[in-house]
Amino acid sequence: IYYVAMEACQHLPGQSDRAVALLAEMGDIANVQTYNAAISAMKRDGDWRRCVELFETMKATERDKCQPDAVTYQRMLDALPESEVGLARELCLEAMAKGHYQACKKWLG
């Protein structure tokens, strides 16, 4: 049921706070898909800074099922405004080091 709620949050405007609350409720059952949905909800609400915070939380999680994947990098890069070229560059380098080249397509031209 959590996954369905997270999917709804990422598609409805103004639901990023609810997505974060659901993620916290999930605790150990959270995974990369639920984190990605929360990042999408924040992106939809234009809150790229919170996307970055959640992304850093994902990376700090010791559970393999919560580590960023290609979708995570793509959503993070899509969330960044064009003025954040330095951060985008860092994310692209990190994504490519993990083999997620397609995630960087927008920023690499």
Side-chain angles (χ1 to χ4, degrees), residues 36-52:
N36 287 345
I39 288 171
S40 287
M42 291 175 201
K43 174 185 166 272
R44 181 183 220 13
D45 291 348
D47 199 348
W48 68 268
R49 286 180 177 88
R50 281 180 73 197
C51 290
V52 173

Side-chain angles (χ1 to χ4, degrees), residues 17-101:
D17 288 337
R18 182 68 183 137
V20 172
L22 283 168
L23 200 54
E25 279 181 38
M26 294 175 75
D28 286 345
I29 63 171
N31 60 28
V32 68
Q33 288 86 9
T34 54
Y35 273 95
N36 287 345
I39 288 171
S40 287
M42 291 175 201
K43 174 185 166 272
R44 181 183 220 13
D45 291 348
D47 199 348
W48 68 268
R49 286 180 177 88
R50 281 180 73 197
C51 290
V52 173
E53 290 172 13
L54 187 58
F55 179 73
E56 292 301 326
T57 299
M58 281 180 83
K59 292 193 312 183
T61 301
E62 294 183 11
R63 295 174 299 175
D64 287 340
K65 68 180 183 175
C66 294
Q67 292 304 304
D69 62 5
V71 173
T72 312
Y73 285 101
Q74 180 67 54
R75 290 181 182 177
M76 285 300 303
L77 289 163
D78 285 348
L80 295 177
E82 290 187 16
S83 62
E84 290 299 318
V85 174
L87 181 54
R89 186 178 305 125
E90 288 176 36
L91 284 173
C92 279
L93 288 173
E94 189 177 315
M96 289 189 295
K98 295 183 178 201
H100 305 309
Y101 302 102

